[in-house]
Each structure stands twice: as structure tokens, then as C-alpha cells.
Amino acid sequence: MKTRRRNYDKDRMSDLPDSVLLEILSNLKINQAVEMSILSTRWKNLWKYISVLSLHYRSFKSIECFINFVSQFFSFRNEKTSVQALTFECRYYFDPLLLKRILKYLFSHNVQHLDMTVPCTLKQFPLSSNFSYHSLTSLKLSTSQELDTVPPVFPNSLKLPALTNLSLYTFTFRCTNEDDEDGYADPFSGFQSLNTLFIESCPLFNDKEGLFISSLSLVSLTILLPIDYDFYKFKLSTPNLSTFHFAGRPFQNLSGHNNITNFSFIKHVNIHIPLCKFLKYPSPSIILFDWLLELHLMESFTISSNALQILNSVPDSWKIDFPYLHNLKLLKIITSEVLPPPNGTEDFLLRNSPSAKKVIFPETTLKEIIKQELRRDKQLLKRFGHVFDRSGLNLDGTALRKRFSYT
């Protein structure tokens, strides 16, 4: 009986190697991991060696407790332990100086994956050209959106040589020369290894400015615009781009504005246009037809029924001679219970690719489709799941009728 009791009381977990215990602690919020130090002397200092960190304000009793914890935590970590990844979320006021101090610490400790959500009250996100970003491979930045606030400006002069994945939500892009009102913001040209770029709800500083996306290595580009954006112009210099996702109002021809992208290389396209009236733009259908011409060698095409209705607004559009889309292998149509695809659309798009597979999805599955096509890591997909609720792309028919007017 005594032998059984001794075996039962034995702390078997503490006998595990440090690597296993640190893996366990890495799956906890960092404040929870610190609390584990009271279990025994074996656990007392383990949290100081955790390299995968998660800091969420919701894990604390108050925002004051959160800020107090964060302001001290990094000072007590083991100085020689690098930071492999950090997920950080604070949607209330956060001291910009403390945020800059945290970023400086992270980059001096070779952080590789950074996922940050901070308040929208900052004028400029404190990423400095003085930091060393040689280790950073994945960056996801989000600012919590508030009414009557201007999103912080994303800097133009950063050099992130190892960065392969970038995801931005609610930032402002501004031309480097503030006196040039017709210029283009150029924030990505210093990202030599960029493979995947995701931009959502990132306005331009004014309607006259534009966004220049320049990258020799970029393969996948996603641009999601809110329906209330009055204008958004961009030009591309992305010769190796193969996947293009766009949601919002189409404002321009893809090859216009001195674009240097060979759109014939783009194989996978997703276009979603919300239900709304184009009050300032008399010919969105012409722009969409131009996009089809420029993307004529794509192999998979996902398009919403709203976009098809806009194309159909041109009289007899499905009867015109359209000798394109010969390489199409997969056509996905996102249907809406409010606005189904017009008659003749499928035959028109598949006219020159009769063997292509056709798939029809309800609108509620749109976010799942783009999730699969982006082929991103699990952490990105967790964040991406909330995108469509904020953008109004995952609304049911009743909500759409209440929120938008349409023709």
C-alpha cells in the first residue's frame, strides 16, 4: 500500500526534459506560464526560456494589470534565449514608447514570426529603420478599428530581407514625398524575399495618392477593400505573381498606371464585388471586362454572382466575340440568395474551355474558399477567419438588404 501511495504522489511531469516542459508552456498564455513557476523549484525559472510567446490583454483582470505585466516581463526573460514567435494583442490604449521598447527587444532577440494587434490611436507604427530585421520571416500587423480615427501610417523605408509573409489590417499608406499629392506609396520594395502579401482595409492618405506594390519574389497578392472606399488606385511591379485575390469595387484597369506586371503569368484569380451602387463610376462593367482580358491565361477563376451581374449590365455582353480563357480548368461561382448569377454567364466564361470543371458555392463559404487558396499557415488562417465579418463579405441575404441598395 505504501509503495502504491509513493508512486501515486510522485511528480512525474517534473521529470520530463526541459524541451518537453517548454513545449507545454509555449501552448499557454505567457501569464499562465509564469504562474506555473509556483508548482516547484523545477518549474521556477522555466518560463524565462520560452521562445514562443503569447500576450493577450483578455487573459488579465484589467488593462492596467496587462500593461504592468508587459512592462516588466521582457526584463526578466533569459537574455540569451531568442524569441521565435510572439502573438500580441491589446485593443486599448497602449503607450507608444513601451511598444517601441518591446519591438526593439524582439528584433534584438531574432524574432522570426510576429503577430501584433494594437490600438488605432497611433499616428505611425513604431517600426524603425534603425532596427535589425534580418531574422523576421512572417509579419502580421493589425490595428483595432475605432470610429473617427485615422489608421496609423505604415512606413515606406523598411528593409526586411528575410520576410516571406506579410499581412496588414487597417493601416494607412502614404507617399514618401508628402508634398507630392499625386505620388505613390512604396512600402514593400525593401522586402526582397516577400512571397505572400495580404492587405485589408488599408486606406490611402488621400484620393490622389496610390499604392505601388513592387516585388520580384511576390507570388500571392490579396487586396480586400471595404465597400465604402470611394477610390483606390494601385500599380504593380510583380513579374512572378501567380495568385491574385481582390474584394471591393474595381476602380482601374490592372495594366494601367505604368504597371510592370505580366498578368499572363497569373494562374489563380478570385474576384468578389459587394452589393452596392457605383454612383461615381459609370462603367465598372468595362473595367471588369478589361480584367478578364488581362487575366486571360488564368487556370482557376473564382467570381461572385454580384460581379457577374455587373458584367451582365452591358447589353448583350454574353453574345460578344470573346476569344479568351482557353486555359481555364476550374470555375467557381459564389452565389448569393439576394442576387443569383444571370443567365448565360457560365456558358460565356466556359465558351473556350468546355472541359473546365464548374463548381457553385453559396456566399457563406467564400471565406473558406479563399482560406484554401491562400495556402497559409494555421496561425494566419486563425486571424483570417475574422476578416470577412469585418468586411461585410459574409453577410446573409437579410443583412445585405438592410445594409446596401443595389440594382
Side-chain angles (χ1 to χ4, degrees), residues 42-55:
R42 176 77 171 83
W43 291 77
K44 184 175 181 180
N45 293 311
L46 275 175
W47 64 269
K48 298 179 181 180
Y49 297 87
I50 301 174
S51 60
V52 178
L53 308 175
S54 179
L55 280 165

Side-chain angles (χ1 to χ4, degrees), residues 211-222:
L211 175 63
F212 182 37
I213 300 175
S214 174
S215 174
L216 294 175
S217 57
L218 191 65
V219 173
S220 176
L221 172 62
T222 300

Side-chain angles (χ1 to χ4, degrees), residues 281-351:
Y281 312 101
S283 302
S285 55
I286 301 301
I287 294 176
L288 280 182
F289 265 113
D290 285 340
W291 284 21
L292 292 182
L293 296 178
E294 294 171 287
L295 300 167
H296 66 279
L297 293 181
M298 58 184 165
E299 296 178 0
S300 69
F301 184 30
T302 303
I303 186 169
S304 65
S305 58
N306 312 339
L308 291 175
Q309 286 287 355
I310 292 173
L311 286 172
N312 193 49
S313 64
V314 177
D316 298 324
S317 56
W318 308 127
K319 299 179 181 179
I320 65 174
D321 182 24
F322 191 74
Y324 301 99
L325 302 182
H326 290 277
N327 294 345
L328 198 61
K329 299 177 182 178
L330 176 62
L331 173 64
K332 298 178 183 178
I333 298 177
I334 310 300
T335 62
S336 166
E337 60 184 68
V338 179
L339 204 61
N343 295 328
T345 56
E346 301 166 21
D347 294 337
F348 174 79
L349 294 174
L350 297 175
R351 180 184 301 172

Side-chain angles (χ1 to χ4, degrees), residues 2 4 105 118 123 139 168 226 250 299 372 375 398 404:
K2 291 183 179 179
R4 288 183 180 179
Y105 177 92
V118 294
K123 291 185 178 180
L139 178 61
L168 297 175
E299 296 178 0
Q372 296 171 10
R375 298 175 182 176
T398 304
F404 306 121

Side-chain angles (χ1 to χ4, degrees), residues 12-13 22 28 92 159 165 199 207 210 275 291 306 365:
R12 297 181 179 179
M13 183 172 288
L22 288 172
L28 302 176
Y92 294 94
K159 303 293 182 183
N165 292 279
I199 301 171
D207 288 347
L275 287 171
W291 284 21
N306 312 339
T365 64

